[in-house]
Amino acid sequence: MPVIKCKGGFDWEGVPVLAYKEDGTHFKSITRRILYKGADELPSEVRYFEIAPGGHSTLERHEHLHVVIIQRGQGEVLLGNQIHEVNPFDVIEIPSNTWHQFRATRNEPFGFLCIVNINRDRPHRPDASEAENLKKDPAISTFIRL
Ligand code: MN
């Protein structure tokens, strides 16, 4: 794949629009595109995610680290115990074992690139006691979608 041509907007030739995850109700109105599948010399994937207005990603944490670069729209991200507004071309490092969730906050798609190691652990969602702990902070309690 020497060059994957962008068709304009946020679509690329030969890159299908995939479900964000295979199933579940812990996310809403979000799609996934795999732009780069990695190589022996660079074992990382680059994905493009897009959240429709009112949508959100899964609240989760995991050992592996993400780097996210916002591409369009505006959103908010819970990162640990902080909520940040994020805009195009902001760069976000989501450290190991840090709770995170993205939400679209305007009436337009919210899109971002996410770089991740090919070899990674599975995301973990909060159990009942972890959810209770997160909800102790009123701002986080209002923000999160389980
Ligand atoms: Mn994640």
mmCIF file of all heavy atoms in Angstrom, residues 20-21 47 57-62 64-66 94 98 100-102 114 116 123-124, ligand 1:
data_model
loop_
_atom_site.group_PDB
_atom_site.id
_atom_site.type_symbol
_atom_site.label_atom_id
_atom_site.label_comp_id
_atom_site.label_asym_id
_atom_site.label_seq_id
_atom_site.Cartn_x
_atom_site.Cartn_y
_atom_site.Cartn_z
ATOM 1 N N TYR A 20 -17.313 0.138 15.080
ATOM 2 C CA TYR A 20 -16.322 0.529 16.104
ATOM 3 C C TYR A 20 -15.876 -0.693 16.893
ATOM 4 O O TYR A 20 -14.697 -0.961 17.057
ATOM 5 C CB TYR A 20 -16.982 1.563 17.003
ATOM 6 C CG TYR A 20 -16.253 1.908 18.288
ATOM 7 C CD1 TYR A 20 -14.976 2.463 18.273
ATOM 8 C CD2 TYR A 20 -16.885 1.713 19.517
ATOM 9 C CE1 TYR A 20 -14.340 2.808 19.456
ATOM 10 C CE2 TYR A 20 -16.251 2.064 20.699
ATOM 11 C CZ TYR A 20 -14.981 2.604 20.665
ATOM 12 O OH TYR A 20 -14.366 2.942 21.838
ATOM 13 N N LYS A 21 -16.845 -1.450 17.387
ATOM 14 C CA LYS A 21 -16.595 -2.728 18.050
ATOM 15 C C LYS A 21 -17.659 -3.701 17.572
ATOM 16 O O LYS A 21 -18.661 -3.294 16.987
ATOM 17 C CB LYS A 21 -16.619 -2.580 19.575
ATOM 18 C CG LYS A 21 -15.384 -1.826 20.083
ATOM 19 C CD LYS A 21 -15.372 -1.594 21.574
ATOM 20 C CE LYS A 21 -14.088 -0.840 21.955
ATOM 21 N NZ LYS A 21 -14.132 -0.283 23.301
ATOM 22 N N ARG A 47 -5.671 4.228 12.965
ATOM 23 C CA ARG A 47 -7.110 4.116 12.708
ATOM 24 C C ARG A 47 -7.731 5.510 12.698
ATOM 25 O O ARG A 47 -7.246 6.408 13.383
ATOM 26 C CB ARG A 47 -7.812 3.293 13.805
ATOM 27 C CG ARG A 47 -7.346 1.840 13.951
ATOM 28 C CD ARG A 47 -6.228 1.643 14.957
ATOM 29 N NE ARG A 47 -6.462 2.228 16.271
ATOM 30 C CZ ARG A 47 -7.116 1.599 17.277
ATOM 31 N NH1 ARG A 47 -7.550 0.358 17.122
ATOM 32 N NH2 ARG A 47 -7.284 2.199 18.434
ATOM 33 N N SER A 57 -17.423 7.133 22.633
ATOM 34 C CA SER A 57 -16.671 5.874 22.623
ATOM 35 C C SER A 57 -16.903 5.145 23.951
ATOM 36 O O SER A 57 -17.554 5.667 24.860
ATOM 37 C CB SER A 57 -15.177 6.157 22.409
ATOM 38 O OG SER A 57 -14.650 6.896 23.489
ATOM 39 N N THR A 58 -16.363 3.949 24.035
ATOM 40 C CA THR A 58 -16.478 3.162 25.267
ATOM 41 C C THR A 58 -15.626 3.789 26.379
ATOM 42 O O THR A 58 -14.508 4.226 26.126
ATOM 43 C CB THR A 58 -15.954 1.737 25.010
ATOM 44 O OG1 THR A 58 -16.667 1.168 23.919
ATOM 45 C CG2 THR A 58 -16.110 0.849 26.230
ATOM 46 N N LEU A 59 -16.158 3.804 27.579
ATOM 47 C CA LEU A 59 -15.333 4.137 28.751
ATOM 48 C C LEU A 59 -14.509 2.893 29.084
ATOM 49 O O LEU A 59 -15.078 1.834 29.382
ATOM 50 C CB LEU A 59 -16.232 4.526 29.921
ATOM 51 C CG LEU A 59 -15.527 4.755 31.259
ATOM 52 C CD1 LEU A 59 -14.509 5.891 31.177
ATOM 53 C CD2 LEU A 59 -16.546 5.038 32.355
ATOM 54 N N GLU A 60 -13.186 3.035 29.018
ATOM 55 C CA GLU A 60 -12.323 1.860 29.162
ATOM 56 C C GLU A 60 -10.929 2.265 29.622
ATOM 57 O O GLU A 60 -10.569 3.447 29.620
ATOM 58 C CB GLU A 60 -12.199 1.135 27.804
ATOM 59 C CG GLU A 60 -11.517 2.010 26.748
ATOM 60 C CD GLU A 60 -11.390 1.350 25.380
ATOM 61 O OE1 GLU A 60 -12.227 0.520 25.019
ATOM 62 O OE2 GLU A 60 -10.420 1.703 24.672
ATOM 63 N N ARG A 61 -10.153 1.252 29.987
ATOM 64 C CA ARG A 61 -8.720 1.430 30.188
ATOM 65 C C ARG A 61 -8.037 0.116 29.832
ATOM 66 O O ARG A 61 -8.680 -0.937 29.706
ATOM 67 C CB ARG A 61 -8.381 1.881 31.611
ATOM 68 C CG ARG A 61 -8.659 0.865 32.688
ATOM 69 C CD ARG A 61 -8.242 1.440 34.047
ATOM 70 N NE ARG A 61 -8.542 0.500 35.116
ATOM 71 C CZ ARG A 61 -8.337 0.749 36.401
ATOM 72 N NH1 ARG A 61 -7.853 1.921 36.789
ATOM 73 N NH2 ARG A 61 -8.630 -0.156 37.311
ATOM 74 N N HIS A 62 -6.733 0.176 29.650
ATOM 75 C CA HIS A 62 -5.948 -0.987 29.214
ATOM 76 C C HIS A 62 -4.481 -0.668 29.410
ATOM 77 O O HIS A 62 -4.108 0.497 29.630
ATOM 78 C CB HIS A 62 -6.257 -1.336 27.753
ATOM 79 C CG HIS A 62 -6.527 -0.144 26.878
ATOM 80 N ND1 HIS A 62 -5.557 0.773 26.572
ATOM 81 C CD2 HIS A 62 -7.671 0.299 26.281
ATOM 82 C CE1 HIS A 62 -6.078 1.715 25.812
ATOM 83 N NE2 HIS A 62 -7.368 1.470 25.629
ATOM 84 N N HIS A 64 -2.099 -0.959 27.140
ATOM 85 C CA HIS A 64 -1.468 -0.294 25.991
ATOM 86 C C HIS A 64 -1.808 1.190 25.963
ATOM 87 O O HIS A 64 -2.765 1.644 26.583
ATOM 88 C CB HIS A 64 -1.816 -0.995 24.678
ATOM 89 C CG HIS A 64 -3.264 -0.947 24.291
ATOM 90 N ND1 HIS A 64 -4.180 -1.884 24.701
ATOM 91 C CD2 HIS A 64 -3.950 -0.092 23.493
ATOM 92 C CE1 HIS A 64 -5.359 -1.601 24.177
ATOM 93 N NE2 HIS A 64 -5.253 -0.516 23.442
ATOM 94 N N LEU A 65 -0.975 1.907 25.251
ATOM 95 C CA LEU A 65 -1.068 3.358 25.197
ATOM 96 C C LEU A 65 -1.652 3.757 23.846
ATOM 97 O O LEU A 65 -1.469 3.054 22.858
ATOM 98 C CB LEU A 65 0.361 3.857 25.366
ATOM 99 C CG LEU A 65 0.714 5.314 25.442
ATOM 100 C CD1 LEU A 65 1.925 5.463 26.361
ATOM 101 C CD2 LEU A 65 1.059 5.829 24.069
ATOM 102 N N HIS A 66 -2.405 4.853 23.824
ATOM 103 C CA HIS A 66 -2.904 5.416 22.564
ATOM 104 C C HIS A 66 -2.288 6.798 22.356
ATOM 105 O O HIS A 66 -2.102 7.537 23.316
ATOM 106 C CB HIS A 66 -4.405 5.720 22.614
ATOM 107 C CG HIS A 66 -5.347 4.590 22.696
ATOM 108 N ND1 HIS A 66 -5.364 3.541 21.833
ATOM 109 C CD2 HIS A 66 -6.398 4.382 23.535
ATOM 110 C CE1 HIS A 66 -6.371 2.741 22.141
ATOM 111 N NE2 HIS A 66 -7.007 3.223 23.174
ATOM 112 N N ILE A 94 -2.864 8.995 25.679
ATOM 113 C CA ILE A 94 -3.662 8.299 26.691
ATOM 114 C C ILE A 94 -2.745 7.258 27.314
ATOM 115 O O ILE A 94 -2.445 6.234 26.697
ATOM 116 C CB ILE A 94 -4.907 7.660 26.054
ATOM 117 C CG1 ILE A 94 -5.769 8.763 25.411
ATOM 118 C CG2 ILE A 94 -5.688 6.872 27.110
ATOM 119 C CD1 ILE A 94 -6.875 8.247 24.536
ATOM 120 N N THR A 98 -5.287 4.151 32.061
ATOM 121 C CA THR A 98 -5.966 5.423 32.346
ATOM 122 C C THR A 98 -7.375 5.366 31.752
ATOM 123 O O THR A 98 -7.536 5.118 30.549
ATOM 124 C CB THR A 98 -5.164 6.585 31.708
ATOM 125 O OG1 THR A 98 -3.849 6.567 32.242
ATOM 126 C CG2 THR A 98 -5.816 7.918 31.993
ATOM 127 N N HIS A 100 -10.555 6.367 29.916
ATOM 128 C CA HIS A 100 -10.761 7.355 28.859
ATOM 129 C C HIS A 100 -12.080 7.106 28.140
ATOM 130 O O HIS A 100 -12.529 5.965 28.002
ATOM 131 C CB HIS A 100 -9.591 7.384 27.870
ATOM 132 C CG HIS A 100 -9.243 6.063 27.261
ATOM 133 N ND1 HIS A 100 -8.572 5.085 27.944
ATOM 134 C CD2 HIS A 100 -9.469 5.568 26.015
ATOM 135 C CE1 HIS A 100 -8.396 4.038 27.132
ATOM 136 N NE2 HIS A 100 -8.935 4.298 25.961
ATOM 137 N N GLN A 101 -12.669 8.208 27.723
ATOM 138 C CA GLN A 101 -13.898 8.174 26.925
ATOM 139 C C GLN A 101 -13.991 9.472 26.133
ATOM 140 O O GLN A 101 -13.740 10.550 26.691
ATOM 141 C CB GLN A 101 -15.127 8.023 27.822
ATOM 142 C CG GLN A 101 -16.439 7.897 27.028
ATOM 143 C CD GLN A 101 -17.599 7.471 27.907
ATOM 144 O OE1 GLN A 101 -17.814 8.021 28.977
ATOM 145 N NE2 GLN A 101 -18.356 6.470 27.456
ATOM 146 N N PHE A 102 -14.349 9.349 24.858
ATOM 147 C CA PHE A 102 -14.516 10.522 23.982
ATOM 148 C C PHE A 102 -15.997 10.746 23.729
ATOM 149 O O PHE A 102 -16.761 9.791 23.544
ATOM 150 C CB PHE A 102 -13.834 10.284 22.628
ATOM 151 C CG PHE A 102 -12.331 10.376 22.669
ATOM 152 C CD1 PHE A 102 -11.567 9.268 22.979
ATOM 153 C CD2 PHE A 102 -11.690 11.583 22.403
ATOM 154 C CE1 PHE A 102 -10.175 9.348 23.022
ATOM 155 C CE2 PHE A 102 -10.306 11.676 22.441
ATOM 156 C CZ PHE A 102 -9.542 10.553 22.747
ATOM 157 N N CYS A 114 -6.073 7.554 15.624
ATOM 158 C CA CYS A 114 -5.572 6.897 16.830
ATOM 159 C C CYS A 114 -4.468 5.929 16.418
ATOM 160 O O CYS A 114 -4.673 5.074 15.557
ATOM 161 C CB CYS A 114 -6.698 6.158 17.541
ATOM 162 S SG CYS A 114 -6.136 5.293 19.025
ATOM 163 N N VAL A 116 -1.839 2.999 17.595
ATOM 164 C CA VAL A 116 -1.836 1.977 18.642
ATOM 165 C C VAL A 116 -0.923 0.821 18.231
ATOM 166 O O VAL A 116 -0.766 0.532 17.042
ATOM 167 C CB VAL A 116 -3.291 1.509 18.890
ATOM 168 C CG1 VAL A 116 -3.811 0.645 17.761
ATOM 169 C CG2 VAL A 116 -3.436 0.803 20.206
ATOM 170 N N PRO A 123 -9.248 -4.013 25.961
ATOM 171 C CA PRO A 123 -9.761 -2.972 26.857
ATOM 172 C C PRO A 123 -10.583 -3.576 27.993
ATOM 173 O O PRO A 123 -11.204 -4.633 27.841
ATOM 174 C CB PRO A 123 -10.643 -2.122 25.940
ATOM 175 C CG PRO A 123 -10.163 -2.393 24.558
ATOM 176 C CD PRO A 123 -9.690 -3.826 24.568
ATOM 177 N N HIS A 124 -10.560 -2.888 29.081
ATOM 178 C CA HIS A 124 -11.283 -3.296 30.279
ATOM 179 C C HIS A 124 -12.273 -2.194 30.627
ATOM 180 O O HIS A 124 -11.904 -1.024 30.685
ATOM 181 C CB HIS A 124 -10.257 -3.507 31.405
ATOM 182 C CG HIS A 124 -10.834 -3.590 32.768
ATOM 183 N ND1 HIS A 124 -11.495 -4.711 33.215
ATOM 184 C CD2 HIS A 124 -10.859 -2.698 33.784
ATOM 185 C CE1 HIS A 124 -11.893 -4.495 34.459
ATOM 186 N NE2 HIS A 124 -11.527 -3.286 34.825
HETATM 187 MN MN MN B 1 -8.802 2.722 24.372
#
